[in-house]
Amino acid sequence: MSLWEALLVLGAFALVLVRWLPPRPRRPVGFGAAGVVVLSGAVLGILGLRWQMVPVLAGAAAALVFAVSPLLGRATRRAPWWLALPGSAVCLVLVAASPAALWALPTPVFPAPTGRFAVGTSVIELTDPERPESATAAPDDRRTVVAQFWYPARKPPAGSGRAPYLGRTEHEARVVSEGLADYAGLPGFLLDGLPRARTHAAYDVPAADAERFPVVLFSPGLGGVRAQNTAWAEELAGHGYVVVGLDHPYDSAAVVLTDGRTIRTEVSATGDDAEDEKRAAAWTAVRAADLSFVRAQLGRIDSGEVAGPLTGHLDTARVAAAGHSLGGGAALQAARQDAAFAAVIDLDGFPHDPSPQPYRQPVLALTQAIGPDTDPDYLPHLTRVLGLSSATTYRLTVPGAAHLTFTDAPLYLPPLPSLVGTLDRTEGPRITAAASLAFLDAALRDGRGDPAAALSAYGTLTVHRPGGR
């Protein structure tokens, strides 16, 4: 809640109470509160009024009439107490509704990265000339993905603006926010705090002067977008990793291309389990191919063939595939199909590979707290797929976590256990990043040892070592 929003709430609350004050303070409190309400309301109207403040404005307007009008002249009579009491109660409910709405659906505030590097971000659009776009009928349409990079950066100059959440511009962020709301079946205004949010990254600032950095490619959940794990990506970047979040057109809720076109999701479920699994397998295969394609493009980005701030800063021999939900399944499939990936992070993702085969990469799988409503096939199937790795795999179940705990969602959705679990708003993103760093440091950086001890601090850890070691 901003200062002006707090003043509006306090002024409205005082207006409601004026009717019940003793005669002497009634006039100064009434006029003072009215002035605060009018001034703060006018300022918020200029700066941009959030929808959560509409109830307090309605309550303040009603209280203003009944609290101030009797103070303007001696001939005006106050309403009797039996009529004023229910009116005051209604106004108090309206005034209280605004802070409650701001608490339930806040503008996300991202935790500051704890690493030694500042964080830069950059967006690149990549087209695969060898792969037709399977979602369209146009014969010349080729598969295009939008990749956002978060990377270790030099400290930005003073006054550098912080990057908007969900887009390169606030307009793009608003388009993506509306796409996410539409995908979730929500009115768009409920998520209007997302385009207002600012991250800790700065666009296109120079990369840090250091060795080449390991890379983590990230695929979001079904209908998700490239920036859905920004808190996680910024924390990893601050600790010396380049994180690349992918938008998958026709799958991600909304993808804004550089030519101005917006592509909305075309994925949908049928309600038939067999058909839906068939569709999920097809979507996963496309995403796995997207991950491999972008991994192959990292050399062009590092060499400067694709211009950007990361020329000469990518360690293309140390690349991990990661993802949330469907994206986690895609990361596992990409690793099985592409041996050039060095490790995998699966954030609560069900594997949909129809023919899983042995693969060589170590895996970290983070899962939600398992309860009676969890798909009973989830853990057995995930365990079988993890067991196919010839390297050590780690499955960490985080107590109090739900499916969206491993994304930015706890920062802006209502704290309902079924949605985001029972952890504190920032605890889910913090644990996700800390566990990922412990695993990545062991898997991608030489000599960092076994991460099992560090991982076990965050939940229940199951380790599968080849040969039962």
Side-chain angles (χ1 to χ4, degrees):
M1 183 182 295
S2 71
L3 172 62
W4 290 108
E5 289 170 338
L7 287 174
L8 179 59
V9 171
L10 290 174
F13 183 73
L15 276 178
V16 176
L17 296 183
V18 165
R19 165 63 177 78
W20 308 99
L21 293 176
R24 179 169 292 182
R26 198 175 291 154
R27 182 178 292 270
V29 172
F31 286 123
V36 169
V37 166
V38 171
L39 176 61
S40 56
V43 171
L44 289 172
I46 295 171
L47 297 178
L49 188 71
R50 293 196 282 178
W51 68 268
Q52 291 97 326
M53 302 309 294
V54 173
V56 74
L57 283 175
L64 190 65
V65 173
F66 293 104
V68 176
S69 59
L71 306 177
L72 297 176
R74 294 181 180 178
T76 306
R77 295 184 60 185
R78 291 195 304 154
W81 72 267
W82 53 267
L83 184 60
L85 184 60
S88 295
V90 169
C91 288
L92 282 176
V93 169
L94 289 172
V95 172
S98 286
L102 287 171
W103 171 79
L105 291 162
T107 297
V109 176
F110 291 90
T114 63
R116 65 187 180 93
F117 294 105
V119 180
T121 189
S122 183
V123 177
I124 299 175
E125 188 173 302
L126 298 166
T127 299
D128 186 349
E130 304 299 324
R131 194 156 48 116
E133 176 52 73
S134 59
T136 67
D140 296 330
D141 196 4
R142 292 294 180 264
R143 181 64 175 171
T144 295
V145 296
V146 180
Q148 181 163 358
F149 292 69
W150 290 267
Y151 55 90
R154 301 177 197 170
K155 186 175 180 180
S160 297
R162 297 199 303 176
Y165 183 46
L166 298 184
R168 287 158 282 193
T169 64
E170 189 165 329
H171 171 73
E172 180 180 354
R174 193 163 298 281
V175 170
V176 174
S177 173
E178 291 171 354
L180 286 170
D182 184 59
Y183 182 79
L186 299 172
F189 73 86
L190 289 180
L191 298 183
D192 77 344
L194 301 188
R196 300 171 184 268
R198 293 295 179 268
T199 68
H200 291 281
Y203 267 107
D204 297 321
V205 294
D209 294 323
E211 73 282 0
R212 296 176 186 269
F213 301 109
V215 183
V216 182
L217 302 187
F218 176 77
S219 177
L222 183 65
V225 296
R226 65 178 190 255
Q228 70 163 53
N229 277 52
T230 290
W232 174 81
E234 290 187 334
E235 179 68 1
L236 266 59
H239 284 267
Y241 292 89
V242 175
V243 179
V244 189
L246 303 186
D247 269 335
H248 303 280
Y250 305 99
D251 178 340
S252 295
V255 182
V256 179
L257 302 179
T258 53
D259 63 8
R261 288 183 297 146
T262 297
I263 300 177
R264 291 293 190 97
T265 182
E266 293 187 359
V267 301
S268 60
T270 65
D272 178 86
D273 290 344
E275 177 60 25
D276 287 345
E277 178 57 32
K278 181 180 178 181
R279 293 187 179 194
W283 299 328
T284 301
V286 171
R287 285 162 167 262
D290 288 346
L291 286 166
S292 288
F293 165 65
V294 175
R295 184 206 56 74
Q297 297 302 299
L298 294 176
R300 297 178 61 225
I301 296 168
D302 181 64
S303 69
E305 184 180 348
V306 177
L310 289 168
T311 299
H313 289 284
L314 300 180
D315 187 342
T316 58
R318 293 187 293 176
V319 182
H324 171 252
S325 194
L326 191 80
L332 286 165
Q333 186 165 335
R336 191 263 291 176
Q337 296 172 347
D338 185 349
F341 282 111
V344 183
I345 296 178
D346 173 14
L347 303 179
D348 209 31
F350 189 99
H352 292 286
D353 189 342
S355 56
Q357 302 293 324
Y359 55 98
R360 67 170 190 81
Q361 296 91 342
V363 181
L364 170 65
L366 270 63
T367 67
Q368 61 184 295
I370 305 303
D373 295 329
T374 309
D375 182 350
D377 293 332
Y378 173 36
L379 281 189
H381 185 57
L382 176 62
T383 300
R384 286 194 296 272
V385 172
L386 295 179
L388 293 173
S389 174
S390 60
T392 302
T393 62
Y394 307 85
R395 178 169 59 80
L396 178 66
T397 299
V398 180
H403 188 55
L404 296 181
T405 296
F406 306 107
T407 70
D408 295 331
L411 302 176
Y412 61 83
L413 287 183
L416 300 175
S418 59
L419 279 178
V420 296
T422 58
L423 300 172
D424 179 77
R425 283 194 188 274
T426 59
E427 190 69 1
R430 185 193 70 81
I431 289 175
T432 305
S436 298
L437 283 170
F439 171 74
L440 290 170
D441 284 349
L444 298 186
R445 298 186 188 276
D446 296 335
R448 299 301 174 98
D450 190 335
L455 291 173
S456 62
Y458 303 112
T460 303
L461 181 66
T462 301
V463 181
H464 177 269
R465 302 184 190 278
R469 292 182 289 108

